[in-house]
Amino acid sequence: MPLTDLQYNIQDKITLDIIVPTYNNKKELRRTLNSIPSCQDINVIVVDDGSNLDYTDIKEEYPSLHFYQLEKNMGPGMARQYGL
């Protein structure tokens, strides 16, 4: 079916998932999170790649954030894959 034949309903919800890998850098993570607009249709997934930092303050500051922590550092590619 050609794309022009698809019906688009303005009521359809389009969501965006943003995956943010992080490793031992709370300042840059906070800067990144502040640059993402607050919207119901945006899911922010942060994957900590085995940092030795405590991210409790960031989790409390951004309650809608989905935060996951890997047990050991495996690189940003693996953190992105985990977020998927």
Side-chain angles (χ1 to χ4, degrees), residues 19-73:
I19 300 170
V20 181
T22 188
Y23 179 74
N24 283 340
N25 200 340
K26 290 171 76 169
K27 180 181 175 184
E28 289 300 318
L29 176 60
R30 186 171 271 114
R31 191 176 118 191
T32 299
L33 295 175
N34 286 335
S35 72
I36 299 171
S38 178
C39 181
Q40 287 182 334
D41 297 340
I42 298 177
N43 296 315
V44 180
I45 302 163
V46 173
V47 181
D48 172 33
D49 190 21
S51 296
N52 57 6
L53 300 177
D54 180 15
Y55 288 94
T56 303
D57 56 333
I58 291 179
K59 291 186 235 179
E60 290 173 356
E61 189 176 338
Y62 302 92
S64 63
L65 182 73
H66 302 280
F67 191 91
Y68 302 95
Q69 188 165 17
L70 301 178
E71 290 184 21
K72 64 178 185 173
N73 182 278

Side-chain angles (χ1 to χ4, degrees), residues 6-20:
L6 294 175
Q7 292 184 2
Y8 177 74
N9 184 346
I10 196 69
Q11 300 298 320
D12 290 344
K13 291 283 187 179
I14 298 174
T15 60
L16 175 66
D17 293 331
I18 299 174
I19 300 170
V20 181

